[in-house]
Amino acid sequence: MRDMSARAPDPGVADGRPPSFATALLDPHPAVVSASQRRWLLLGSLAFASCAGSLRWLGQWAGLYGTAAGTAGFAALVFLASVFLIRHVSHVLQRTDAHRERLEADYRRLVEHLPLVVYVDELADNSANIYTSPQVESLLGFTVDEWVRDPELFVKQLHPDDRERVLTEVKRSNESGTPFVTEYRLIAKDGRVVWVRDGWSIYEDAHGQGVHSQGYLLDITRRREAEEELRRLAVTDPLTSLPNRRELIERLRATGADEAPHSLLFLDLDDFKTFNDSLGHRAGDALLVALADRVAACARRDELVVRMGGDEFAILTPSSVQTDLELLAQKLLSAVASPLSLEGRELWATASIGIASGGDAEELLRNADMAMYQAKGSGGNAFAFFSPPLHAAAKRRLGLSADLRRLTLLDELRLAFQPTFDLRAGGVEGLEALLRWQHPELGLVPPGEFVPVAEEYGSIVEIGRWVLHQACRHARQWAGTSGTPAVAVNVSGRQLREPGFVDDVRGALGESGLDPAALRLELTESVLVRADDTVRASIADVCGLGVQLAIDDFGTGHSWIGHLADFQPDLIKVDRSFLAEGNEPLLRGIAALARELGVRVAAEGIERTDQLQLVQRLDYDIGQGFLLGHPLPEAEATALLDRDATVPRTALRLA
Ligand code: C2E
Ligand code: MG
Ligand code: MG
């Protein structure tokens, strides 16, 4: 299309009528010499040529005979011949004109029936429009007259986002003379946005000289809209209608290119799998939609909220100021954590947020992800900023996750046994089996580090089965040495959701011949809080086998008191943080509650004598801690039991 940047008045419309397409196309200078003028020029030239030839011949003939009568006769003859010739030539020209008009009409019909707008522009700096076909009216709502008359109209109707690009392209093509095809938006008279494909080339004369430019505008709005819709679908999460991960990556790449400061908050719901499993996928989806709305409501206009997939969301913000980021993270945590009513049930969800600033898309995502794990590791419902040491921790974690899937893993695992003591009668009451991983390169890896990774990647199921069998086997050997001490086995939530869990327990008991009453399964309170029907059924079934149930790390989960009555455990093990804090009122309250419910109560983490005295004074049943006994290898645990059998039962009271 034309370049209107330096445009002169349009000579083709000087008489108020736009020129025809054929005129524009066939006549290089339509306004300089008109068709009728050219016709008379041609006639005159022919008449002159024929008269000149006849007179020369007449002159020769008259010179030969030299008679006046002859001269007059021949003059008349010449006149008649001239008239005849002029009439003949005029007739021929008339036929040429008719042919030309027919041709023009054919052209016009053809051009005006094409499903596109055809245009012809001058090939000059101003690119003045010579011809525009009437389809411009259905395309843009402007009549041909309006379109051709206003030299600025094309530039004015160019979409602001495309204007600069299109004008540059047109100018470049005008200068180089190369044809081009481009797509851009025009604003129609009624404000509609119309996508067009503009194909443009130079029409050259027989000598290869550029005469004018010609092109077409094809309406591609529907195709573009369909493409746009497809693109939108490709970058939109269908469940929450939020942009998806792909959109974030594209945006990050664009942001990275201009190196503007930016940060990413990576949000992951805590324990969403449990929600999903217990509520069902439909309710799980509804929960995600509700939380997506809350997360989106926390963001400003210049921030992008995306659903990364599953229970992960991300917020891209242009800020990298720490206090701003903290505020936003806090706002997000509160938004997620406020109670939610779903299908008649009241729910509390929490999230962990990792925050990273700067860097390219890959780096930013990786760093924010690492920081998120840091927040999750601190118990969830928290946020953490990325720092370089986190990088090392995440690398180690990744390495562990790979090593946990090694076939030889079970050969590297050991069990340590930490004694639990009867605080009233004295003596060893039980032994808690605690996992140890003797890693060939990293040395001893504590369970606090690898168990969460094993839970995440599912290897805890196989590891847990191994622990169960080992613990029952050892316990069977100890039975009778000092009464029958209970062997406590920690069970993760993931194991309870495995369909074969109850069979595993039954198998371990059957294989070892251990009395079920001597096996104590420890479930953390957070597992019980989120127990779905599958987990509840598993718990009921294993309890049906006659094994004991203990609630581990009691007091750290949410709304824990309700769960005491729900699961009727044999023992609750009060989390060691309460003893470490010296929170006597709480320790006393829990002991009273346990007594009320007829459940035995244990104090974890007894490290000092004053702590032992406190829990004894508060009438705790069982004690566990480094003061009383560290986790021991199996042989040492056996030796301890042997010794314990010989020690008077009141020994502990003297500690
Ligand atoms: P837990 O079940 O609460 O186990 C008690 C943890 O407290 C053990 O840490 C033990 O060494 C530690 N502990 C005992 N007395 C004291 C004390 O006086 N002071 C201090 N500061 N700590 C004390 P450990 O062995 O590192 O195990 C950590 C956690 O790993 C366990 O906490 C348990 O939740 C998990 N775990 C261990 N073994 C297994 C297993 O076989 N399966 C599963 N699912 N989890 C396991
Ligand atoms: Mg435990
Ligand atoms: Mg514990």
Side-chain angles (χ1 to χ4, degrees):
M1 202 63 197
R2 56 213 152 131
D3 171 9
M4 294 292 180
S5 49
R7 199 185 149 125
D10 186 343
V13 291
D15 61 356
R17 276 185 304 114
S20 72
F21 173 71
T23 311
L25 206 62
L26 299 175
D27 187 347
H29 305 292
V32 178
V33 183
S34 77
S36 62
Q37 282 168 334
R38 286 199 299 119
R39 186 194 306 159
W40 283 112
L41 271 173
L42 193 60
L43 268 176
S45 316
L46 283 168
F48 176 77
S50 56
C51 284
S54 305
L55 282 172
R56 199 161 144 253
W57 175 77
L58 181 68
Q60 284 172 357
W61 200 84
L64 274 180
Y65 296 94
T67 65
T71 306
F74 277 109
L77 201 67
V78 166
F79 176 75
L80 284 173
S82 298
V83 168
F84 173 77
L85 270 169
I86 286 170
R87 285 196 57 176
H88 177 73
V89 169
S90 167
H91 182 68
V92 168
L93 283 174
Q94 266 175 12
R95 275 178 44 203
T96 310
D97 269 358
H99 177 71
R100 185 191 168 95
E101 272 161 22
R102 252 201 333 275
L103 196 67
E104 184 178 325
D106 287 348
Y107 265 128
R108 181 183 292 278
R109 254 197 312 280
L110 176 70
V111 164
E112 294 182 0
H113 281 88
L114 289 173
L116 39 75
V117 177
V118 174
Y119 64 84
V120 181
D121 287 346
E122 274 203 348
L123 194 63
D125 272 355
N126 58 23
S127 307
N129 182 244
I130 298 168
Y131 170 81
T132 295
S133 70
Q135 293 93 317
V136 73
E137 189 159 356
S138 55
L139 182 76
L140 298 171
F142 294 104
T143 62
V144 172
D145 195 33
E146 284 172 322
W147 187 249
V148 175
R149 241 174 218 291
D150 182 354
E152 299 298 328
L153 196 56
F154 171 69
V155 179
K156 274 194 284 193
Q157 300 311 116
L158 265 175
H159 193 286
D161 292 350
D162 297 340
R163 190 173 293 145
E164 210 181 304
R165 170 179 67 84
V166 174
L167 292 179
T168 312
E169 277 179 341
V170 170
K171 196 163 189 292
R172 200 182 305 135
S173 174
N174 259 349
E175 283 163 7
S176 64
T178 45
F180 80 92
V181 175
T182 190
E183 295 183 357
Y184 55 85
R185 283 160 291 182
L186 286 166
I187 311 290
K189 195 174 183 180
D190 60 4
R192 267 179 307 121
V193 173
V194 180
W195 269 101
V196 293
R197 166 183 283 192
D198 189 349
W200 182 97
S201 63
I202 290 179
Y203 181 79
E204 292 174 344
D205 62 16
H207 309 290
Q209 199 62 41
V211 179
H212 54 238
S213 64
Q214 59 195 39
Y216 64 89
L217 294 177
L218 178 65
D219 186 352
I220 54 161
T221 311
R222 282 178 68 176
R223 195 204 80 201
R224 275 292 189 149
E225 280 172 357
E227 280 173 4
E228 196 48 44
E229 178 62 7
L230 279 180
R231 201 198 92 81
R232 197 189 63 75
L233 289 174
V235 297
T236 304
D237 167 52
L239 178 67
T240 60
S241 301
L242 287 176
N244 64 12
R245 183 189 187 90
R246 203 159 148 177
E247 172 75 9
L248 176 72
I249 306 272
E250 277 179 23
R251 191 74 73 88
L252 277 175
R253 294 212 167 117
T255 314
D258 57 28
E259 284 171 0
H262 53 275
S263 305
L264 189 76
L265 287 86
F266 191 86
L267 183 152
D268 185 287
L269 298 177
D270 297 330
D271 212 7
F272 177 71
K273 189 167 171 13
T274 312
F275 273 117
N276 214 22
D277 290 348
S278 57
L279 300 172
H281 286 261
R282 213 170 48 111
D285 282 355
L287 176 69
L288 283 174
V289 171
L291 293 178
D293 288 347
R294 289 182 180 187
V295 169
C298 293
R300 292 191 317 239
R301 273 180 170 276
D302 58 348
E303 293 167 338
L304 175 75
V305 177
V306 301
R307 179 175 176 222
M308 300 291 280
D311 59 338
E312 295 169 350
F313 297 88
I315 296 95
L316 179 66
T317 169
S319 172
S320 54
V321 180
Q322 176 148 353
T323 44
D324 291 352
L325 297 172
E326 278 174 6
L327 267 177
L328 177 56
Q330 201 52 61
K331 204 164 139 190
L332 287 163
L333 288 181
S334 315
V336 171
S338 59
L340 193 103
S341 176
L342 202 72
E343 296 186 346
R345 294 173 71 167
E346 186 109 311
L347 296 175
W348 285 270
T350 57
S352 301
I353 301 174
I355 310 168
S357 297
D360 61 21
E362 212 174 293
E363 215 177 329
L364 195 64
L365 274 168
R366 196 187 53 222
N367 293 350
D369 189 57
M370 278 184 225
M372 188 278 291
Y373 271 108
Q374 169 80 0
K376 211 164 267 279
S378 70
N381 196 19
F383 62 85
F385 282 89
F386 170 77
S387 66
L390 261 185
H391 185 56
K395 259 174 83 176
R396 185 174 157 103
R397 202 183 148 83
L398 203 69
L400 288 183
S401 74
D403 294 345
L404 278 168
R405 278 170 277 182
R406 278 202 310 244
L407 284 175
T408 51
L409 172 73
L410 294 183
D411 297 335
E412 295 163 17
L413 295 179
R414 310 270 177 276
L415 282 184
F417 295 92
Q418 187 180 26
T420 46
F421 288 83
D422 184 327
L423 292 179
R424 281 195 213 95
V428 177
E429 170 278 342
L431 287 145
E432 177 172 6
L434 295 163
L435 261 171
R436 300 291 176 257
W437 183 8
Q438 191 63 49
H439 192 284
E441 286 111 43
L442 302 174
L444 198 65
V445 185
E449 187 177 354
F450 75 85
V451 167
V453 184
E455 279 174 346
E456 190 182 340
Y457 292 97
S459 24
I460 193 67
V461 174
E462 194 191 350
I463 296 173
R465 193 178 297 131
W466 177 86
V467 174
L468 202 58
H469 279 80
Q470 293 290 314
C472 288
R473 220 160 38 83
H474 291 307
R476 179 71 188 88
Q477 287 162 13
W478 295 326
T481 324
S482 169
T484 303
V487 67
V489 171
N490 293 286
V491 176
S492 89
R494 185 84 186 243
Q495 285 172 269
L496 287 168
R497 278 194 292 272
E498 277 301 303
F501 177 69
V502 182
D503 289 338
D504 283 344
V505 177
R506 197 183 285 117
L509 289 170
E511 199 180 89
S512 60
L514 184 72
D515 175 7
L519 175 64
R520 183 186 293 153
L521 298 182
E522 293 194 5
L523 307 182
T524 61
E525 199 185 7
S526 53
V527 167
L528 297 179
V529 169
R530 289 176 177 172
D532 55 22
D533 291 346
T534 321
V535 170
R536 282 169 189 268
S538 286
I539 294 172
D541 289 351
V542 285
C543 288
L545 298 176
V547 304
Q548 297 181 43
L549 177 68
I551 301 186
D552 205 354
D553 304 341
F554 187 78
T556 53
H558 312 269
S559 63
W560 30 273
I561 291 175
H563 292 272
L564 277 183
D566 258 14
F567 292 98
Q568 300 180 329
D570 301 283
L571 179 72
I572 55 174
K573 297 180 74 178
V574 180
D575 192 71
R576 69 168 181 265
S577 58
F578 299 117
L579 198 56
E581 287 163 11
N583 196 335
E584 191 176 330
L586 201 114
L587 288 165
R588 180 181 290 113
I590 295 175
L593 184 78
R595 261 194 305 281
E596 194 69 32
L597 293 167
V599 178
R600 291 194 300 159
V601 61
E604 290 188 285
I606 302 172
E607 294 179 349
R608 301 190 309 265
T609 45
D610 62 303
Q611 290 174 328
L612 174 63
Q613 284 159 357
L614 173 66
V615 292
Q616 285 181 317
R617 203 172 60 239
L618 296 176
D619 208 16
Y620 271 65
D621 300 284
I622 294 168
Q624 180 180 13
F626 294 161
L627 178 74
L628 307 174
H630 281 266
L632 302 167
E634 189 257 323
E636 287 180 40
T638 309
L640 172 77
L641 288 175
D642 290 343
R643 253 195 336 272
D644 185 68
T646 63
V647 175
R649 288 274 111 175
T650 52
L652 199 61
R653 286 201 176 274
L654 306 171

